[in-house]
DNA sequence: CACTAGATAATCT
DNA sequence: GATTATCTAGTGC
């Protein structure tokens, strides 16, 4: 027999690429309900598929930690649109992160996809992150985007349409008894809201890091 | 393992 | 000019 296969096995991996996307109504709910429900579902981009293990909820204009808190700007325009679309942003001069827009049209809430495990297209993912172990391929929001090849071109993409390269497909939902929540990572405002959700014990969940204000460049 | 600093650019003030 | 929903490489234990 072949040695160890990834969880789910190769047949499940192939299914992940062809399965129907989640219905748009899935996203047309309060963001703190959608976020934990996404755990275990599968994000597909091209021939790579990823089972979500960690996400964070951001409640739009009501949430000091959200990019949408200060209102509509060119960058945040996608979040103010209809649910079921991808909001991709560029940060720290080198990284992309991807969110899925939630709630009613105009609420500007979204779920940040923070980590997951690759269930199809392992070869492609490894090429994109050649120095990474399998466990670390998508362990963190910027690593996730690199492993799946997500960038500016995917901003605004409809993830509920079966014919687009980037889509969110139905997987095996996480066992509710294994879902944990806690404060969001790397965020300054809104610390009291425990809106980071993850699958307890899953090795692909990223380590928690509290927000640290960056030091300024030393003046020589 | 814990901790630090540096990379690098869009966005906002 | 300051800040940032990050990651990696480096040091030291």
């Amino acid at each position: 027999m072949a040695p160890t296969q990834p969880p789910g096995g190769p047949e499940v991996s192939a299914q992940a690429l062809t399965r129907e996307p989640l219905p748009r109504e899935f996203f047309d709910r309060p963001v703190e309900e959608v976020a934990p429900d996404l755990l275990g579902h599968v994000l597909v981009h091209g021939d790579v598929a990823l089972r979500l293990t960690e996400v964070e909820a951001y409640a739009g204009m009501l949430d000091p930690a959200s990019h949408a808190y200060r209102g509509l700007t060119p960058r945040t325009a996608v979040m103010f649109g209809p649910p079921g679309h991808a909001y991709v942003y560029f940060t720290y001069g080198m990284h992309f992160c991807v969110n899925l827009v939630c709630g009613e049209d105009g609420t500007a809430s979204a779920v940040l996809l923070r980590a997951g495990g690759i269930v199809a297209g392992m070869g492609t993912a490894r090429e994109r992150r050649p120095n990474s172990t399998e466990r670390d391929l998508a362990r963190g929001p910027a690593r996730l985007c690199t492993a799946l090849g997500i960038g500016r071109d995917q901003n605004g993409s409809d993830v509920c349409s079966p014919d687009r390269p980037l889509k969110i497909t139905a997987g095996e939902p996480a066992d509710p008894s294994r879902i944990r929540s806690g404060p969001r990572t790397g965020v300054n405002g809104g610390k009291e809201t425990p809106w980071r959700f993850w699958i307890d014990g899953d090795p692909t969940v990223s380590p928690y890091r509290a927000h640290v204000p960056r030091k300024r460049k030393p003046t020589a």
Side-chain angles (χ1 to χ4, degrees), chain A residues 14-29:
Chain A
Q15 283 174 24
L17 297 175
T18 56
R19 205 173 316 202
E20 284 297 302
L22 295 174
R24 193 169 310 282
E25 300 80 61
F26 182 93
F27 295 99
D28 197 359
R29 296 182 286 148

Side-chain angles (χ1 to χ4, degrees), chain A residues 29-198:
Chain A
R29 296 182 286 148
V31 66
E32 68 272 28
E33 293 180 22
V34 176
D37 286 355
L38 274 170
L39 296 172
H41 290 306
V42 176
L43 184 70
V44 175
H45 187 218
D47 66 343
V48 180
L50 172 104
R51 173 178 173 263
L52 292 170
T53 59
E54 180 188 350
V55 299
E56 279 175 7
Y58 287 86
M61 300 193 74
L62 308 173
D63 183 353
S66 170
H67 289 171
Y69 184 59
R70 288 180 169 81
L72 193 155
T73 67
R75 179 173 66 151
T76 61
V78 170
M79 279 202 284
F80 285 84
H85 291 248
Y87 163 53
V88 180
Y89 67 90
F90 185 67
T91 191
Y92 287 101
M94 59 190 98
H95 300 303
F96 291 100
C97 297
V98 62
N99 303 247
L100 302 181
V101 177
C102 293
E104 287 180 42
D105 197 335
T107 51
S109 61
V111 176
L112 171 67
L113 308 183
R114 288 197 54 90
I118 304 291
V119 293
M122 183 64 73
T124 303
R126 295 203 76 128
E127 279 174 27
R128 289 175 175 147
R129 291 184 40 81
N131 295 330
S132 177
T133 62
E134 186 168 318
R135 171 198 211 211
D136 284 348
L137 279 173
R139 194 179 186 222
R143 293 166 169 183
L144 185 155
C145 281
T146 300
L148 293 205
I150 293 172
R152 250 182 264 285
D153 289 352
Q154 280 68 48
N155 189 38
S157 184
D158 180 359
V159 298
C160 297
S161 171
D163 301 321
R164 308 297 300 282
L166 180 65
K167 56 186 178 178
I168 180 80
T169 67
E172 186 75 19
D175 177 356
S177 70
R178 284 224 297 151
I179 296 178
R180 299 286 179 275
S181 68
R184 293 173 292 187
T185 304
V187 172
N188 202 0
K191 281 195 187 67
E192 307 79 17
T193 317
W195 277 2
R196 172 178 178 245
F197 300 94
W198 68 93

